[in-house]
Amino acid sequence: MSSETTSHKPRVAVVFGGRSSEHAISVITAGAVLAAIDREKYDVLPIGITTDGRWALTADEPERMAIADRKLPNVAELAESTEGGVVLPVDPTNRELVYSEPGSVPKALGEVDVVFPVLHGPYGEDGTLQGLLELSGVPYVGSGVLASAVGQDKDYMKRVFTSFGLPVGPYEVIRPREWENDPAAARKKIVEFAEAHGWPLFVKPARAGSSMGITKVDAIEGLDAAIEEARRHDPKFLVESLLSGREIECGVLEFEDGPRASVPAEIPPVTSHDFYDFEAKYIDSAAGLVPAPLSAEETARVQELAVAAFDAASCEGLVRADFFLQDNGEFVINEINTLPGFTPISMYPRMWQESGVSYPELIDRLIQAALHRSTGLR
């Protein structure tokens, strides 16, 4: 951002949707963010990315971005045109967006001061969009390329955590070439993992979120279907052992003096689902306990681990860190989410609300931090 003092309101492009299987959740998140941004303080430009990757101008109508009668929203229904596209120049000296339609003269949409990406999953949360914005010299909310990529890939995320001495549970990774070249050997490795750590186990895509593609497998008979479901989302997948204990989450937010942790939350056992899956999170709205009923020592420990995970992955802006509090009293980190959901029922804003940071203030703080953070090496 230029050091010159400007009188205009900062222009925020809220970018949402995307090509991942979490497209609908991103739209829901965008609706909540658009409804909460202070329009007296910021100009707002909603930009939706369709499932085939087209950047579209969309209606600024947050009420149309919610789940209605169990139907998930999508960008195609919000786009102002079925063909027009928004282009961001890959030029750090020019932040002006251009809109073009076939057979029409491209028109300038004006400059953007900061991008608020609310994309979840690959092609948005994984460092790809962050790389484009770095090349374009446009500040953006959240972590940079490396942290975003690490936060998306559960394989490398766990490797980073382990290298920093953070506690992770048992897991095994099956890479694409490994499965394609010798599926029998890869399957044997999984079975041996199950024999060592016990059934049930979880089979999950390495680079998906919102519990997409995850299957709890109680016995070997369900393994092949679970692998097929995981690979439908990502050719690289992993298996994890069941960690008995309580599911605890903690938010991290970057303040002027560094990252701070929120009060933690607990995801209670979901009786209507086998685990805290996509439907439990977004359709049936499983309720989390905020704050989590933890002792002062347990609260301090999970907050310490959450900030440590934030630092280990070189995160910026915000992170939601997910843990298991095992029966022996020890915490194990399951994963971090560098662009956690901001839906009305999402745990991240709820934890910060309970910590004294309201939803609008949370969004404002994230935008201000991005405006004051340079692109490039930092």
Side-chain angles (χ1 to χ4, degrees):
M1 183 177 175
S2 170
S3 60
E4 296 178 11
T5 302
T6 57
S7 58
H8 79 288
K9 291 189 292 185
R11 197 160 191 235
V12 181
V14 177
V15 180
F16 62 97
R19 295 163 55 191
S20 83
S21 55
E22 297 173 79
H23 177 96
I25 301 308
S26 175
V27 177
I28 297 166
T29 297
V33 170
L34 287 168
I37 288 181
D38 185 351
R39 303 304 178 103
E40 296 294 320
K41 191 171 183 179
Y42 303 107
D43 284 328
V44 179
L45 178 67
I47 299 175
I49 301 178
T50 63
T51 53
D52 60 3
R54 179 173 65 92
W55 288 43
L57 285 179
T58 66
D60 187 2
E61 300 175 7
E63 66 278 3
R64 294 175 57 196
M65 301 180 184
I67 297 174
D69 298 324
R70 300 178 73 89
K71 182 179 181 296
L72 297 172
N74 63 76
V75 169
E77 295 173 346
L78 299 163
E80 294 184 353
S81 166
T82 58
E83 294 183 303
V86 178
V87 177
L88 175 65
V90 185
D91 178 357
T93 66
N94 178 15
R95 295 181 185 172
E96 189 166 86
L97 294 175
V98 175
Y99 179 76
S100 63
E101 287 189 273
S104 300
V105 177
K107 64 178 180 179
L109 297 176
E111 289 196 348
V112 167
D113 295 291
V114 63
V115 167
F116 197 134
V118 291
L119 295 150
H120 302 305
Y123 314 110
E125 188 181 354
D126 58 351
T128 50
L129 176 66
Q130 290 75 13
L132 172 63
L133 296 172
E134 291 286 351
L135 289 173
S136 301
V138 179
Y140 53 93
V141 169
S143 290
V145 175
L146 175 65
S148 297
V150 168
Q152 186 64 42
D153 191 317
K154 296 176 179 65
D155 174 13
Y156 286 97
M157 181 197 305
K158 291 176 185 291
R159 294 173 188 270
V160 168
F161 289 159
T162 300
S163 71
F164 276 84
L166 296 173
V168 302
Y171 71 99
E172 190 72 69
V173 177
I174 305 296
R175 297 171 181 273
R177 191 182 306 142
E178 188 177 359
W179 180 261
E180 291 156 9
N181 288 350
D182 195 343
R187 190 175 186 276
K188 182 172 182 290
K189 188 163 82 169
I190 297 171
V191 172
E192 290 174 349
F193 175 86
E195 290 171 349
H197 298 285
W199 300 89
L201 52 78
F202 288 91
V203 180
K204 58 178 64 176
R207 294 161 292 194
S210 294
S211 299
M212 289 286 191
I214 300 178
T215 305
K216 182 182 178 184
V217 183
D218 295 308
I220 193 170
E221 290 77 17
L223 185 58
D224 290 340
I227 292 172
E228 182 179 346
E229 172 62 13
R231 283 179 51 80
R232 193 168 66 83
H233 295 268
D234 188 345
K236 180 166 75 166
F237 66 95
L238 66 158
V239 294
E240 297 175 344
S241 63
L242 174 68
L243 294 173
S244 60
R246 299 160 61 187
E247 290 190 53
I248 306 295
E249 298 184 348
C250 190
V252 180
L253 179 63
E254 195 166 11
F255 287 75
E256 291 78 7
D257 59 352
R260 300 181 200 170
S262 70
V263 299
E266 179 170 5
I267 307 301
V270 183
T271 56
S272 60
H273 297 263
D274 214 15
F275 62 98
Y276 193 47
D277 62 4
F278 177 88
E279 289 237 339
K281 283 182 180 179
Y282 300 108
I283 304 298
D284 294 339
S285 306
L289 304 175
V290 188
L294 300 171
S295 69
E297 293 76 14
E298 290 168 337
T299 295
R301 177 57 176 159
V302 75
Q303 289 174 327
E304 176 189 17
L305 287 171
V307 172
F310 183 96
D311 286 336
S314 299
C315 296
E316 295 168 292
L318 72 163
V319 149
R320 193 195 71 232
D322 300 345
F323 299 86
F324 289 102
L325 175 55
Q326 300 181 102
D327 297 337
N328 63 5
E330 297 295 322
F331 282 98
V332 170
I333 185 165
N334 183 38
E335 64 182 39
I336 58 171
N337 195 313
T338 56
L339 283 174
F342 270 77
T343 69
I345 63 168
S346 293
M347 298 308 297
Y348 185 84
R350 287 182 60 195
M351 287 187 286
W352 279 108
Q353 175 77 40
E354 192 67 26
S355 304
V357 181
S358 69
Y359 192 13
E361 181 186 350
L362 177 61
I363 291 171
D364 181 64
R365 183 171 287 278
L366 289 169
I367 293 172
Q368 286 297 317
L371 285 168
H372 290 89
R373 185 189 305 131
S374 65
T375 54
L377 299 177
R378 50 189 184 274

